[in-house]
Amino acid sequence: TNQPLIVSSPDQLSEWDRILPGKPVPEYEIPWQVALLDTTYGGLFCGGTHIGEGWILTAAHCFFDEEKQKLKKSQIVVLSGTTNLIWGGQRSVPVIDPITHEDWNPETKANDIALIRISGEVPLEKASLVDSVLESSLISAGSNLRVSGWGTTTENGDISTKLLKADVPVVPTSSCSQAYGGMVNENQICAGKNGVDSCQGDSGGPLAGLDGVGKSVLVGVVSFGRGCGREGFPGVYTRIFKYRDWIQDKTNI
């Protein structure tokens, strides 16, 4: 059919790919969120955030297949301007191949950040990146941040056709790292609790907080987790502020 394939197989989305229980996002509430679709079937494989001039920020692991081969721009479509995977929005072909962090480590999940660019002529709002002053309060333990995506609503379940959001509490890095056997460091943020988490297919999507006037700012990128919403295993997110220089170097924004 001409409609995108929404169901992804377990082979495509592992337990580490990393919204539940999510609430539907009203139209225009998160206008900078995009979905990454594969060109073969139109299926969702990750989320992303428009940060300006057509640049999409996402996770490095999104751009590697099961054989650890890096995807090309011809294999990717960026869906923007809609909260629904079935209809609406605009599909754009990337103008460059994905740029993944040079020190991305698939074993440790370190430096899980990437960029891809679509035409700057696409009318798409951009997300603001968090600064150091605001970040310190937003990522303090117990603070709530918001994650959003079209990922599965239960572990190994079905992809959501509607964009969902959930508020996840920040978890201390020390206890999170202990849970994950020392894999988590200061370049990452942990957030979530039993039953409230990002899930499979949400990878690369935004973790956001609010500034002093109620405007959303981008704090993190969905990276990985053990399952979805499991007790003692919060979601792990790439900490955007730690990569501001890398982002600016690659995008000049």
Side-chain angles (χ1 to χ4, degrees):
T1 70
N2 291 325
Q3 300 297 333
L5 179 68
I6 303 305
V7 177
S8 294
S9 72
D11 289 338
Q12 294 173 301
L13 300 174
S14 74
E15 69 165 349
W16 291 92
D17 278 333
R18 318 238 358 124
I19 291 244
L20 75 152
K23 295 181 179 180
V25 174
E27 203 75 36
Y28 309 118
E29 182 176 298
I30 311 179
W32 27 263
Q33 174 133 21
V34 304
L36 303 183
L37 312 177
D38 70 77
T39 54
T40 303
Y41 299 108
L44 172 81
F45 66 89
C46 271
T49 302
H50 179 239
I51 59 173
E53 299 180 12
W55 285 102
I56 306 299
L57 188 66
T58 185
H61 79 264
C62 289
F63 295 128
F64 290 87
D65 63 20
E66 293 178 355
E67 284 73 41
K68 299 183 180 180
Q69 297 298 308
K70 191 174 179 180
L71 301 183
K72 301 293 186 181
K73 62 182 180 181
S74 60
Q75 298 172 275
I76 304 163
V77 172
V78 178
L79 174 64
S80 63
T82 183
T83 59
N84 197 302
L85 290 180
I86 300 296
W87 62 77
Q90 181 169 337
R91 286 169 171 75
S92 305
V93 177
V95 297
I96 62 168
D97 286 330
I99 300 172
T100 54
H101 196 282
E102 296 78 3
D103 295 323
W104 152 242
N105 188 320
E107 302 302 323
T108 66
K109 318 298 182 184
N111 305 303
D112 192 9
I113 191 167
L115 291 156
I116 196 166
R117 195 178 192 184
I118 56 178
S119 171
E121 298 175 357
V122 176
L124 183 60
E125 290 192 37
K126 67 177 183 178
S128 298
L129 304 185
V130 70
D131 59 37
S132 60
V133 176
L134 183 57
E135 192 210 36
S136 62
S137 62
L138 290 178
I139 67 171
S140 60
S143 297
N144 279 321
L145 297 173
R146 177 159 292 176
V147 62
S148 50
W150 289 273
T152 60
T153 54
T154 60
E155 189 172 322
N156 296 317
D158 293 329
I159 294 293
S160 173
T161 58
K162 296 180 180 179
L163 183 62
L164 302 178
K165 62 181 179 181
D167 292 334
V168 287
V170 176
V171 175
T173 302
S174 56
S175 60
C176 182
S177 184
Q178 184 176 9
Y180 285 105
M183 290 176 61
V184 179
N185 59 44
E186 64 176 9
N187 292 336
Q188 295 159 311
I189 301 168
C190 295
K193 62 181 181 180
N194 187 26
V196 183
D197 196 5
S198 53
C199 203
Q200 296 147 336
D202 290 321
S203 288
L207 179 71
L210 296 177
D211 64 11
V213 294
K215 181 181 178 181
S216 292
V217 292
L218 187 65
V219 176
V221 170
V222 181
S223 181
F224 74 93
R226 185 175 291 280
C228 308
R230 294 188 190 181
E231 182 69 41
F233 291 98
V236 183
Y237 301 80
T238 303
R239 186 177 170 186
I240 294 302
F241 179 72
K242 291 290 186 176
Y243 295 90
R244 286 295 299 269
D245 290 344
W246 183 83
I247 294 170
Q248 186 175 39
D249 178 63
K250 302 300 182 184
T251 66
N252 291 317
I253 59 174

